[in-house]
mmCIF file of all heavy atoms in Angstrom:
data_model
loop_
_atom_site.group_PDB
_atom_site.id
_atom_site.type_symbol
_atom_site.label_atom_id
_atom_site.label_comp_id
_atom_site.label_asym_id
_atom_site.label_seq_id
_atom_site.Cartn_x
_atom_site.Cartn_y
_atom_site.Cartn_z
ATOM 1 N N PRO D 71 -143.394 -225.628 107.533
ATOM 2 C CA PRO D 71 -142.174 -226.139 106.892
ATOM 3 C C PRO D 71 -142.030 -227.659 106.903
ATOM 4 O O PRO D 71 -141.408 -228.223 106.017
ATOM 5 C CB PRO D 71 -141.049 -225.495 107.709
ATOM 6 C CG PRO D 71 -141.667 -224.320 108.374
ATOM 7 C CD PRO D 71 -143.110 -224.655 108.573
ATOM 8 N N ASP D 72 -142.650 -228.320 107.873
ATOM 9 C CA ASP D 72 -142.524 -229.774 107.956
ATOM 10 C C ASP D 72 -143.584 -230.513 107.136
ATOM 11 O O ASP D 72 -143.640 -231.727 107.151
ATOM 12 C CB ASP D 72 -142.583 -230.222 109.414
ATOM 13 C CG ASP D 72 -143.851 -229.770 110.130
ATOM 14 O OD1 ASP D 72 -144.435 -228.748 109.720
ATOM 15 O OD2 ASP D 72 -144.250 -230.440 111.104
ATOM 16 N N ARG D 73 -144.411 -229.773 106.395
ATOM 17 C CA ARG D 73 -145.444 -230.379 105.548
ATOM 18 C C ARG D 73 -145.249 -229.928 104.103
ATOM 19 O O ARG D 73 -144.741 -228.844 103.851
ATOM 20 C CB ARG D 73 -146.833 -229.950 106.013
ATOM 21 C CG ARG D 73 -147.158 -230.419 107.409
ATOM 22 C CD ARG D 73 -148.568 -230.034 107.758
ATOM 23 N NE ARG D 73 -148.784 -230.134 109.184
ATOM 24 C CZ ARG D 73 -149.795 -229.585 109.811
ATOM 25 N NH1 ARG D 73 -150.682 -228.878 109.141
ATOM 26 N NH2 ARG D 73 -149.935 -229.716 111.102
ATOM 27 N N PRO D 74 -145.705 -230.723 103.153
ATOM 28 C CA PRO D 74 -145.522 -230.353 101.746
ATOM 29 C C PRO D 74 -146.492 -229.285 101.249
ATOM 30 O O PRO D 74 -146.383 -228.835 100.117
ATOM 31 C CB PRO D 74 -145.768 -231.680 101.005
ATOM 32 C CG PRO D 74 -146.674 -232.457 101.902
ATOM 33 C CD PRO D 74 -146.279 -232.066 103.305
ATOM 34 N N THR D 75 -147.416 -228.831 102.083
ATOM 35 C CA THR D 75 -148.420 -227.847 101.683
ATOM 36 C C THR D 75 -147.781 -226.533 101.251
ATOM 37 O O THR D 75 -146.922 -226.000 101.944
ATOM 38 C CB THR D 75 -149.375 -227.557 102.864
ATOM 39 O OG1 THR D 75 -149.925 -228.794 103.308
ATOM 40 C CG2 THR D 75 -150.477 -226.612 102.455
ATOM 41 N N THR D 76 -148.194 -226.041 100.097
ATOM 42 C CA THR D 76 -147.748 -224.727 99.634
ATOM 43 C C THR D 76 -148.977 -223.908 99.281
ATOM 44 O O THR D 76 -150.071 -224.430 99.152
ATOM 45 C CB THR D 76 -146.834 -224.814 98.396
ATOM 46 O OG1 THR D 76 -147.564 -225.391 97.321
ATOM 47 C CG2 THR D 76 -145.576 -225.613 98.683
ATOM 48 N N MET D 77 -148.756 -222.612 99.122
ATOM 49 C CA MET D 77 -149.838 -221.710 98.738
ATOM 50 C C MET D 77 -149.437 -220.995 97.458
ATOM 51 O O MET D 77 -148.270 -221.009 97.072
ATOM 52 C CB MET D 77 -150.109 -220.714 99.868
ATOM 53 C CG MET D 77 -150.610 -221.383 101.148
ATOM 54 S SD MET D 77 -150.850 -220.215 102.492
ATOM 55 C CE MET D 77 -152.262 -219.290 101.910
ATOM 56 N N GLN D 78 -150.381 -220.352 96.825
ATOM 57 C CA GLN D 78 -150.125 -219.639 95.576
ATOM 58 C C GLN D 78 -149.577 -218.238 95.842
ATOM 59 O O GLN D 78 -150.002 -217.253 95.239
ATOM 60 C CB GLN D 78 -151.397 -219.584 94.727
ATOM 61 C CG GLN D 78 -151.840 -220.945 94.236
ATOM 62 C CD GLN D 78 -150.779 -221.625 93.401
ATOM 63 O OE1 GLN D 78 -150.275 -221.067 92.432
ATOM 64 N NE2 GLN D 78 -150.408 -222.831 93.782
ATOM 65 N N TYR D 79 -148.624 -218.176 96.759
ATOM 66 C CA TYR D 79 -147.909 -216.946 97.106
ATOM 67 C C TYR D 79 -146.429 -217.292 97.063
ATOM 68 O O TYR D 79 -146.021 -218.300 97.639
ATOM 69 C CB TYR D 79 -148.302 -216.457 98.510
ATOM 70 C CG TYR D 79 -149.726 -215.975 98.568
ATOM 71 C CD1 TYR D 79 -150.782 -216.866 98.696
ATOM 72 C CD2 TYR D 79 -150.021 -214.619 98.461
ATOM 73 C CE1 TYR D 79 -152.094 -216.428 98.715
ATOM 74 C CE2 TYR D 79 -151.329 -214.169 98.487
ATOM 75 C CZ TYR D 79 -152.356 -215.081 98.615
ATOM 76 O OH TYR D 79 -153.654 -214.645 98.629
ATOM 77 N N TYR D 80 -145.649 -216.461 96.356
ATOM 78 C CA TYR D 80 -144.217 -216.730 96.215
ATOM 79 C C TYR D 80 -143.415 -215.594 96.836
ATOM 80 O O TYR D 80 -143.850 -214.441 96.842
ATOM 81 C CB TYR D 80 -143.845 -216.866 94.737
ATOM 82 C CG TYR D 80 -143.996 -218.278 94.192
ATOM 83 C CD1 TYR D 80 -145.221 -218.928 94.201
ATOM 84 C CD2 TYR D 80 -142.901 -218.953 93.670
ATOM 85 C CE1 TYR D 80 -145.355 -220.205 93.701
ATOM 86 C CE2 TYR D 80 -143.028 -220.242 93.172
ATOM 87 C CZ TYR D 80 -144.258 -220.863 93.189
ATOM 88 O OH TYR D 80 -144.382 -222.139 92.697
ATOM 89 N N GLU D 81 -142.233 -215.955 97.313
ATOM 90 C CA GLU D 81 -141.344 -214.968 97.919
ATOM 91 C C GLU D 81 -140.912 -213.922 96.898
ATOM 92 O O GLU D 81 -140.590 -214.236 95.752
ATOM 93 C CB GLU D 81 -140.113 -215.677 98.482
ATOM 94 C CG GLU D 81 -139.173 -214.764 99.221
ATOM 95 C CD GLU D 81 -138.009 -215.501 99.862
ATOM 96 O OE1 GLU D 81 -138.048 -216.742 99.956
ATOM 97 O OE2 GLU D 81 -137.060 -214.808 100.259
ATOM 98 N N VAL D 82 -140.904 -212.668 97.340
ATOM 99 C CA VAL D 82 -140.494 -211.562 96.483
ATOM 100 C C VAL D 82 -138.966 -211.494 96.466
ATOM 101 O O VAL D 82 -138.333 -211.492 97.521
ATOM 102 C CB VAL D 82 -141.072 -210.221 97.004
ATOM 103 C CG1 VAL D 82 -140.581 -209.052 96.175
ATOM 104 C CG2 VAL D 82 -142.592 -210.274 97.027
ATOM 105 N N PRO D 83 -138.345 -211.448 95.284
ATOM 106 C CA PRO D 83 -136.881 -211.328 95.226
ATOM 107 C C PRO D 83 -136.400 -210.035 95.908
ATOM 108 O O PRO D 83 -137.050 -208.992 95.824
ATOM 109 C CB PRO D 83 -136.585 -211.281 93.723
ATOM 110 C CG PRO D 83 -137.784 -211.884 93.066
ATOM 111 C CD PRO D 83 -138.946 -211.540 93.953
ATOM 112 N N ALA D 84 -135.266 -210.114 96.582
ATOM 113 C CA ALA D 84 -134.717 -208.961 97.316
ATOM 114 C C ALA D 84 -134.532 -207.751 96.404
ATOM 115 O O ALA D 84 -134.828 -206.617 96.800
ATOM 116 C CB ALA D 84 -133.399 -209.338 97.982
ATOM 117 N N GLY D 85 -134.057 -207.953 95.185
ATOM 118 C CA GLY D 85 -133.857 -206.844 94.256
ATOM 119 C C GLY D 85 -135.152 -206.130 93.913
ATOM 120 O O GLY D 85 -135.171 -204.914 93.714
ATOM 121 N N VAL D 86 -136.238 -206.879 93.851
ATOM 122 C CA VAL D 86 -137.548 -206.288 93.569
ATOM 123 C C VAL D 86 -138.023 -205.517 94.799
ATOM 124 O O VAL D 86 -138.523 -204.395 94.688
ATOM 125 C CB VAL D 86 -138.574 -207.375 93.173
ATOM 126 C CG1 VAL D 86 -139.980 -206.805 93.079
ATOM 127 C CG2 VAL D 86 -138.170 -208.036 91.860
ATOM 128 N N LEU D 87 -137.846 -206.101 95.968
ATOM 129 C CA LEU D 87 -138.282 -205.450 97.204
ATOM 130 C C LEU D 87 -137.544 -204.136 97.437
ATOM 131 O O LEU D 87 -138.108 -203.186 97.975
ATOM 132 C CB LEU D 87 -138.073 -206.395 98.390
ATOM 133 C CG LEU D 87 -138.584 -205.930 99.745
ATOM 134 C CD1 LEU D 87 -140.056 -205.559 99.696
ATOM 135 C CD2 LEU D 87 -138.345 -207.004 100.783
ATOM 136 N N ASP D 88 -136.305 -204.057 96.987
ATOM 137 C CA ASP D 88 -135.503 -202.842 97.178
ATOM 138 C C ASP D 88 -135.818 -201.737 96.170
ATOM 139 O O ASP D 88 -135.329 -200.621 96.322
ATOM 140 C CB ASP D 88 -134.009 -203.183 97.107
ATOM 141 C CG ASP D 88 -133.545 -203.962 98.325
ATOM 142 O OD1 ASP D 88 -134.199 -203.870 99.384
ATOM 143 O OD2 ASP D 88 -132.525 -204.674 98.215
ATOM 144 N N ASP D 89 -136.618 -202.016 95.149
ATOM 145 C CA ASP D 89 -136.939 -201.042 94.108
ATOM 146 C C ASP D 89 -138.447 -200.769 94.107
ATOM 147 O O ASP D 89 -139.220 -201.554 93.558
ATOM 148 C CB ASP D 89 -136.497 -201.595 92.750
ATOM 149 C CG ASP D 89 -136.737 -200.642 91.603
ATOM 150 O OD1 ASP D 89 -137.535 -199.684 91.732
ATOM 151 O OD2 ASP D 89 -136.132 -200.860 90.533
ATOM 152 N N PRO D 90 -138.895 -199.663 94.732
ATOM 153 C CA PRO D 90 -140.329 -199.405 94.850
ATOM 154 C C PRO D 90 -141.098 -199.401 93.525
ATOM 155 O O PRO D 90 -142.233 -199.874 93.482
ATOM 156 C CB PRO D 90 -140.395 -198.022 95.517
ATOM 157 C CG PRO D 90 -139.109 -197.917 96.270
ATOM 158 C CD PRO D 90 -138.095 -198.643 95.423
ATOM 159 N N GLU D 91 -140.490 -198.907 92.450
ATOM 160 C CA GLU D 91 -141.191 -198.906 91.159
ATOM 161 C C GLU D 91 -141.386 -200.319 90.632
ATOM 162 O O GLU D 91 -142.470 -200.680 90.161
ATOM 163 C CB GLU D 91 -140.431 -198.056 90.144
ATOM 164 C CG GLU D 91 -140.569 -196.569 90.380
ATOM 165 C CD GLU D 91 -139.864 -195.758 89.306
ATOM 166 O OE1 GLU D 91 -139.746 -196.243 88.156
ATOM 167 O OE2 GLU D 91 -139.439 -194.633 89.621
ATOM 168 N N GLU D 92 -140.329 -201.118 90.682
ATOM 169 C CA GLU D 92 -140.443 -202.500 90.214
ATOM 170 C C GLU D 92 -141.383 -203.288 91.120
ATOM 171 O O GLU D 92 -142.204 -204.074 90.651
ATOM 172 C CB GLU D 92 -139.066 -203.174 90.149
ATOM 173 C CG GLU D 92 -139.134 -204.534 89.493
ATOM 174 C CD GLU D 92 -137.776 -205.158 89.246
ATOM 175 O OE1 GLU D 92 -136.737 -204.577 89.624
ATOM 176 O OE2 GLU D 92 -137.758 -206.260 88.672
ATOM 177 N N LEU D 93 -141.293 -203.050 92.427
ATOM 178 C CA LEU D 93 -142.185 -203.729 93.362
ATOM 179 C C LEU D 93 -143.641 -203.391 93.061
ATOM 180 O O LEU D 93 -144.497 -204.283 93.076
ATOM 181 C CB LEU D 93 -141.835 -203.352 94.805
ATOM 182 C CG LEU D 93 -142.698 -204.000 95.887
ATOM 183 C CD1 LEU D 93 -142.628 -205.527 95.817
ATOM 184 C CD2 LEU D 93 -142.275 -203.494 97.263
ATOM 185 N N ALA D 94 -143.930 -202.136 92.750
ATOM 186 C CA ALA D 94 -145.304 -201.739 92.417
ATOM 187 C C ALA D 94 -145.822 -202.522 91.208
ATOM 188 O O ALA D 94 -146.993 -202.912 91.170
ATOM 189 C CB ALA D 94 -145.375 -200.240 92.167
ATOM 190 N N ALA D 95 -144.953 -202.777 90.236
ATOM 191 C CA ALA D 95 -145.358 -203.552 89.051
ATOM 192 C C ALA D 95 -145.664 -205.003 89.432
ATOM 193 O O ALA D 95 -146.646 -205.583 88.945
ATOM 194 C CB ALA D 95 -144.270 -203.488 87.983
ATOM 195 N N TRP D 96 -144.837 -205.600 90.292
ATOM 196 C CA TRP D 96 -145.063 -206.976 90.730
ATOM 197 C C TRP D 96 -146.341 -207.046 91.569
ATOM 198 O O TRP D 96 -147.114 -207.992 91.442
ATOM 199 C CB TRP D 96 -143.861 -207.500 91.505
ATOM 200 C CG TRP D 96 -142.684 -207.851 90.649
ATOM 201 C CD1 TRP D 96 -142.045 -207.055 89.742
ATOM 202 C CD2 TRP D 96 -141.988 -209.094 90.621
ATOM 203 N NE1 TRP D 96 -140.997 -207.731 89.161
ATOM 204 C CE2 TRP D 96 -140.935 -208.981 89.691
ATOM 205 C CE3 TRP D 96 -142.127 -210.289 91.319
ATOM 206 C CZ2 TRP D 96 -140.039 -210.018 89.418
ATOM 207 C CZ3 TRP D 96 -141.231 -211.327 91.050
ATOM 208 C CH2 TRP D 96 -140.209 -211.187 90.105
ATOM 209 N N VAL D 97 -146.564 -206.046 92.413
ATOM 210 C CA VAL D 97 -147.773 -206.018 93.235
ATOM 211 C C VAL D 97 -149.009 -205.876 92.349
ATOM 212 O O VAL D 97 -150.032 -206.508 92.611
ATOM 213 C CB VAL D 97 -147.691 -204.894 94.299
ATOM 214 C CG1 VAL D 97 -149.043 -204.631 94.932
ATOM 215 C CG2 VAL D 97 -146.659 -205.261 95.367
ATOM 216 N N ALA D 98 -148.930 -205.084 91.297
ATOM 217 C CA ALA D 98 -150.061 -204.938 90.379
ATOM 218 C C ALA D 98 -150.441 -206.296 89.789
ATOM 219 O O ALA D 98 -151.631 -206.621 89.672
ATOM 220 C CB ALA D 98 -149.731 -203.934 89.274
ATOM 221 N N LYS D 99 -149.446 -207.105 89.450
ATOM 222 C CA LYS D 99 -149.724 -208.456 88.931
ATOM 223 C C LYS D 99 -150.349 -209.331 90.003
ATOM 224 O O LYS D 99 -151.239 -210.137 89.722
ATOM 225 C CB LYS D 99 -148.440 -209.105 88.413
ATOM 226 C CG LYS D 99 -147.885 -208.467 87.155
ATOM 227 C CD LYS D 99 -146.592 -209.152 86.757
ATOM 228 C CE LYS D 99 -145.883 -208.439 85.629
ATOM 229 N NZ LYS D 99 -144.593 -209.079 85.310
ATOM 230 N N ALA D 100 -149.879 -209.187 91.249
ATOM 231 C CA ALA D 100 -150.426 -209.977 92.351
ATOM 232 C C ALA D 100 -151.884 -209.594 92.619
ATOM 233 O O ALA D 100 -152.725 -210.462 92.865
ATOM 234 C CB ALA D 100 -149.581 -209.785 93.613
ATOM 235 N N ILE D 101 -152.178 -208.300 92.564
ATOM 236 C CA ILE D 101 -153.557 -207.844 92.762
ATOM 237 C C ILE D 101 -154.448 -208.359 91.629
ATOM 238 O O ILE D 101 -155.572 -208.798 91.870
ATOM 239 C CB ILE D 101 -153.608 -206.305 92.892
ATOM 240 C CG1 ILE D 101 -152.899 -205.865 94.182
ATOM 241 C CG2 ILE D 101 -155.050 -205.811 92.850
ATOM 242 C CD1 ILE D 101 -152.658 -204.373 94.281
ATOM 243 N N ALA D 102 -153.934 -208.338 90.413
ATOM 244 C CA ALA D 102 -154.697 -208.873 89.272
ATOM 245 C C ALA D 102 -154.945 -210.371 89.450
ATOM 246 O O ALA D 102 -156.043 -210.864 89.159
ATOM 247 C CB ALA D 102 -153.959 -208.593 87.965
#
Side-chain angles (χ1 to χ4, degrees):
D72 57 334
R73 297 184 196 164
T75 305
T76 62
M77 296 177 69
Q78 294 301 306
Y79 292 81
Y80 272 60
E81 184 176 347
V82 176
V86 172
L87 185 55
D88 289 337
D89 182 342
E91 286 183 28
E92 188 173 3
L93 180 59
W96 285 54
V97 166
K99 291 178 188 177
I101 294 169

